[in-house]
Amino acid sequence: MNQIFKQNKRIIMIVFVALAAVAYSFFQSAQKKEQEGEIFNLENLETTSESSNEDQTEPINSTIKVDVKGAVHSPGVYIGKQEDRVIDMIKIAGGFTENANQNAVNLAEKIQDQMVIYVPKMGEEGEGIVSNNDSNANASGGKVNLNSADENELQTLPGIGPSKAASIVEYRNQNGRFKNIDELKNITGIGEKTFEKLKDSITVN
């Protein structure tokens, strides 16, 4: 028996060493994967943290739109920024025409989203318009209220210029509140065609 054990002792030792080597290699491999996993999780955490910080510090879109009308070379709706002034939007619209009444507009006023800038011509009735009818429109379901709108807001209606807007306000002052929108046709210069264009944009409530 001893002789058999001695003969196989070398083989047993070789097998033992091989098993130990395999076990050590497996242990090393598992430890390496664990370390790599920790590094990966740490990198993900840092990336997520950086993305979160970027989202928090990302500036809010401050782009606003302004409608420039009247005596400018290229009337239209233009994109501006909150720090822009009326003069900036007029420049974007090509600048004043030769017959523009520049003194009728407050060029230093800051612009607002949905603002209407109207530059009158020399000799044109009424003053230049720089208005924002958000509050009136929101309170009236998106329509201009004939009983509360000022001349600036009235001129945002189709077919209503400075002269007609002034007439509407004058009529209201002399006759009291409008009882219905059809009463608008009592004002000189507002006939059936003009009324048809703006009837869906006005209210008396």
Side-chain angles (χ1 to χ4, degrees), residues 6-70:
K6 289 179 180 180
Q7 290 176 349
N8 294 318
K9 181 177 181 181
R10 184 176 181 181
I11 296 175
I12 293 173
M13 289 297 295
I14 292 173
V15 172
F16 178 81
V17 171
L19 290 174
V22 171
Y24 178 79
S25 176
F26 178 82
F27 175 79
Q28 288 288 90
S29 177
Q31 190 175 32
K32 183 178 180 180
K33 288 182 179 180
E34 183 178 356
Q35 291 175 347
E36 289 176 348
E38 291 176 353
I39 294 173
F40 176 78
N41 289 336
L42 180 59
E43 289 175 348
N44 279 351
L45 180 62
E46 291 175 350
T47 303
T48 302
S49 177
E50 290 174 358
S51 298
S52 177
N53 291 334
E54 289 175 359
D55 291 341
Q56 293 176 1
T57 58
E58 185 177 354
I60 298 174
N61 187 0
S62 59
T63 299
I64 54 181
K65 293 183 178 180
V66 175
D67 189 3
V68 185
K69 301 176 180 290

Side-chain angles (χ1 to χ4, degrees), residues 54-158:
E54 289 175 359
D55 291 341
Q56 293 176 1
T57 58
E58 185 177 354
I60 298 174
N61 187 0
S62 59
T63 299
I64 54 181
K65 293 183 178 180
V66 175
D67 189 3
V68 185
K69 301 176 180 290
V72 293
H73 286 290
S74 301
V77 177
Y78 294 95
I79 295 176
K81 297 180 181 179
Q82 290 181 347
E83 64 270 18
D84 286 341
R85 308 276 177 164
V86 170
I87 184 61
D88 298 318
M89 302 311 299
I90 291 176
K91 288 180 180 179
I92 294 175
F96 295 107
T97 59
E98 294 180 359
N99 59 348
N101 184 3
Q102 302 182 29
N103 295 327
V105 182
N106 181 4
L107 302 178
E109 184 171 346
K110 284 188 175 182
I111 65 171
Q112 302 175 43
D113 191 35
Q114 300 183 38
M115 173 182 279
V116 176
I117 300 174
Y118 181 81
V119 181
K121 298 177 181 179
M122 296 296 295
E124 186 176 346
E125 294 182 16
E127 297 181 353
I129 301 168
V130 179
S131 67
N132 187 317
N133 64 336
D134 283 349
S135 59
N136 186 73
N138 290 337
S140 306
K143 298 183 178 182
V144 173
N145 192 323
L146 297 178
N147 290 319
S148 61
D150 58 20
E151 292 186 28
N152 292 345
E153 293 169 338
L154 289 169
Q155 290 179 70
T156 64
L157 293 169

